[in-house]
Structure formats: structure tokens, C-alpha cells
Amino acid sequence: MENIFTSQEFEKSKLPTNFYKSLSSLLFDLGIDGNDVVEDFISHYISHAYEQTKTKSSVYLTTGFSRHIVKKYLEEKETHSKSNSKFMHQTVLLAELHKLSEKYDDGLIPIYGKFGSYTSTFNRVKPQDNIITSKTVLDILISSGKVKKKGEYIQFISSLGRKGLRDKASIINTLAISMARMSNTIQHNYHAKTNEETLFQASYFSTLIKPENRRKLTDKLRELTRKHFREYQALIDSYEETDLTPKEVEDLNNEIGISTFIFDNEKEV
């Protein structure tokens, strides 16, 4: 019999306040519309619950939202999911540019030209509904440290990030991607049947570091992190299929990798 729930499933868990405090502080600094955040969260939460339970009554019982809210959002069907096509396009574009750079002895790719150039590659792999210009994407690739401009050419620097992007759009994008990856990892581990099926997820920290030593420690952690990330990069690259067409890359519709970050926070009281 479907849609039978135990009483335990109706006992709502609560997130610690530091989750809301830190996230709200960041969103406020970024100038994010708080009402949009709440509206989008409710919409996605209810849509996901409905996909899992299939009935309005089950959504009402399992989500904690009122019948009025559940009815409103399910009837409106305003799913606010943002298309990630532009990010997929950048991934495909970078893969094609990597292959193109190997055809040149010095790795220098002409920016302009009908064949074998950055612009010709951009025009070949861009989606039909693309409204982003080749110049805009090139500026993003340069500012993110993936390529550098040398006259009328571009050259790959490294797929390792050279610096953290500090403009608002890049930070919002980083926040969204990081939250999605972290949430998916935690969810995967939550549903895993054995330890062997889990993805690595761990933190190590101390509360016994004197203030005058914190900068010295973070500098050493950055150095160590970059060293190991070069190893991660080489391992991931060794598994890549380099002969896939842009369409085949899109059809795979996946990503696999590793993320890490250094934290230096004031302890919650």
C-alpha cells in the first residue's frame, strides 16, 4: 500500500540557528532579495515533496506547510528552477578549447578566425538559444584564471583557481554550486547502505589556536591544499574521455570531483 507514513516521519527536525545566521549574513551582504529566497525555497520544497509522495495531503503532512500554502504552490506550478545551460556550455567550450590548444605547439589559440580559433569554437558549440556573447564568456574565462590573453591569442593557465573571484555574480554562482554539491553529497551518504558506498565528507578543526597564529596557519593550509589539489587534478584528468563530442558531453549530464575550503570562524556562543 502506497503513501503510508509512520508517526516518526511527522516529527519535524530543526536546523541549528548558526545555519540561518551565517547564511542570512552572506545573502544580505550579497544583496539577495530575502522574499525571493523564501518563495523559491517553498516552491522547490513543495515540488520535490509532491514528486516523492504524489498527493497533496501527503505533502501537507510531510513538509510542515499549511494546506493553503501547499494548494497555492501546487496549483500555480511556478517552478523557479534556473537553467544551467550556460554553465554546461562553458564546460563543453573549455573541453573543446583544451583539444584545440594541443594542436598548437605553443598552446596559443587565436581569438579570431573562421577555423581553429576561440570564436569559431564558441560559435560551433553554443546552444541555439544562447544570448551570451563570445566576448562575455572570454572575459569570464580570463577573470577566473583559466586562460590568459596574449595579444590576439589566449593560452590556458591552469584549471586550478588562481584566486577567489570577488565580484557579486561569481560569488553567488560559487555559493549555489557549492551548496548543491554539498547537499547532494550529504544526501548520497545519508542513503548509502554501507560505508563503502559513501562519498568522502569530513572536517578537521581546532578551537585552541591563538589569534596571532591563525594567519600563519591558514597560509600553510593554503599551501598544502594547492599541493594536493594538483594531485586531484591529475587523477581526474587521467579519467577524462577526450574524444567526446559536445552533444555526448551534454548527454552525460554529470560531474564528479572534489571540493575543499579553509574556514576561520568566530565560535558560536
Side-chain angles (χ1 to χ4, degrees):
M1 187 178 295
E2 296 182 356
N3 298 322
I4 298 298
F5 301 93
T6 66
S7 60
Q8 190 175 15
E9 290 180 84
F10 304 125
E11 297 174 3
K12 305 302 176 190
S13 301
K14 290 188 176 182
L15 290 167
T17 56
N18 61 351
F19 172 85
Y20 301 103
K21 182 178 179 181
S22 57
L23 184 58
S24 297
S25 175
L26 174 58
L27 296 180
F28 180 80
D29 284 349
L30 292 174
I32 300 296
D33 188 312
N35 187 66
D36 283 350
V37 173
V38 174
E39 290 284 323
D40 287 354
F41 172 76
I42 295 174
S43 176
H44 284 292
Y45 201 127
I46 290 177
S47 294
H48 176 76
Y50 187 73
E51 289 174 5
Q52 298 299 309
T53 63
K54 307 304 181 185
T55 67
K56 291 181 181 179
S57 59
S58 297
V59 174
Y60 163 68
L61 288 171
T62 57
T63 64
F65 294 117
S66 69
R67 283 189 172 89
H68 169 72
I69 293 294
V70 171
K71 183 173 182 293
K72 170 189 172 186
Y73 280 87
L74 286 180
E75 287 181 351
E76 289 178 353
K77 285 292 184 181
E78 290 182 350
T79 304
H80 300 287
S81 59
K82 308 297 188 295
S83 171
N84 65 352
S85 60
K86 62 178 179 288
F87 304 120
M88 177 61 74
H89 168 240
Q90 288 183 29
T91 300
V92 175
L93 176 62
L94 279 172
E96 289 298 297
L97 290 174
H98 261 297
K99 288 192 287 187
L100 181 60
S101 69
E102 293 174 354
K103 296 180 179 180
Y104 296 101
D105 292 336
D106 52 9
L108 293 175
I109 303 172
I111 296 177
Y112 307 105
K114 291 184 177 180
F115 304 101
S117 69
Y118 163 77
T119 52
S120 65
T121 304
F122 175 90
N123 292 327
R124 178 165 53 84
V125 304
K126 71 178 181 180
Q128 291 184 347
D129 60 348
N130 180 66
I131 60 173
I132 304 174
T133 67
S134 61
K135 181 181 184 306
T136 298
V137 174
L138 180 58
D139 288 342
I140 292 173
L141 296 180
I142 292 173
S143 65
S144 64
K146 291 184 173 62
V147 301
K148 59 183 176 181
K149 187 176 180 182
K150 300 183 72 173
E152 296 298 309
Y153 299 85
I154 59 170
Q155 185 178 46
F156 278 94
I157 300 174
S158 169
S159 58
L160 284 175
R162 295 286 175 157
K163 59 181 179 180
L165 299 183
R166 300 185 62 187
D167 62 280
K168 184 182 294 186
S170 297
I171 291 174
I172 291 173
N173 183 40
T174 298
L175 171 64
I177 292 175
S178 298
M179 288 294 289
R181 289 171 177 168
M182 181 179 68
S183 298
N184 290 337
T185 298
I186 293 173
Q187 188 176 26
H188 173 92
N189 291 346
Y190 176 69
H191 290 294
K193 299 286 192 300
T194 65
N195 286 337
E196 287 72 21
E197 296 178 66
T198 61
L199 299 171
F200 186 77
Q201 170 203 335
S203 293
Y204 187 82
F205 64 94
S206 173
T207 58
L208 303 176
I209 309 299
K210 290 184 177 181
E212 60 266 28
N213 290 329
R214 289 167 74 162
R215 177 59 187 273
K216 184 187 301 183
L217 175 57
T218 55
D219 286 346
K220 289 186 177 297
L221 286 172
R222 272 196 297 269
E223 181 181 342
L224 189 61
T225 300
R226 288 195 61 82
K227 172 188 174 184
H228 288 296
F229 249 79
R230 290 188 179 93
E231 297 173 8
Y232 302 149
Q233 176 190 357
L235 177 61
I236 292 171
D237 288 351
S238 71
Y239 277 82
E240 283 192 336
E241 302 290 343
T242 58
D243 297 327
L244 295 179
T245 66
K247 180 65 168 59
E248 287 173 325
V249 174
E250 288 188 33
D251 288 342
L252 287 175
N253 192 32
N254 64 43
E255 61 176 5
I256 182 170
I258 183 169
S259 294
T260 189
F261 62 93
I262 299 168
F263 53 91
D264 182 2
N265 309 315
E266 294 296 327
K267 190 177 178 182
E268 292 289 330
V269 294

